[in-house]
Amino acid sequence: QVQLVESGGGLVQAGDSLTLSCTASGGTFGTYTVAWFRQAPGKERTFVASIMWNGSKTLYTDSVKGRFTISRNNAEKTVSLAMNSLKPEDTALYYCGAERFSVPSGRERSYTYWGQGTQVTVSS
């Protein structure tokens, strides 16, 4: 079983960049596909990006393609989400989720393990 902790959130201005980290403990991190989801106030949690357990495949939601990049370092048990050209509509609580030996998916139910989230606020 893996435990996940998100970090790196903060308050930035539109157009700025921010990198989020999802750090794991327990389990064999290199066997887990990891995804980032986000939840804006009053809205459902939605998919952002996912990276396969071996790093061979990534998946992004359309609204972040070309602006966000997901990557992983299995030796450091970390998945990062580099966010560039941030917009006010990117404001949300960002969560990472993990599932063992799965392919990247945009469905929340595809991931069993979740962190507590890190807040990203983008001012206009």
Side-chain angles (χ1 to χ4, degrees), residues 20-69:
L20 306 183
S21 295
C22 174
T23 303
S25 60
T28 305
F29 183 69
T31 64
Y32 286 86
T33 290
V34 176
W36 285 96
F37 283 71
R38 62 188 179 186
Q39 186 169 20
K43 297 187 177 180
E44 295 183 350
R45 190 153 55 178
T46 59
F47 172 72
V48 178
S50 180
I51 186 165
M52 199 160 176
W53 54 274
N54 59 5
S56 64
K57 184 177 180 181
T58 58
L59 185 67
Y60 296 91
T61 192
D62 286 346
S63 65
V64 307
K65 286 180 180 178
R67 298 190 300 125
F68 291 12
T69 302

Side-chain angles (χ1 to χ4, degrees), residues 10-19 67-68 82-88 90 120-123:
L11 172 63
V12 296
Q13 294 186 333
D16 285 352
S17 299
L18 204 59
T19 298
R67 298 190 300 125
F68 291 12
M83 306 184 294
N84 297 315
S85 302
L86 282 162
K87 305 175 181 180
D90 294 317
V120 173
T121 303
V122 184
S123 63

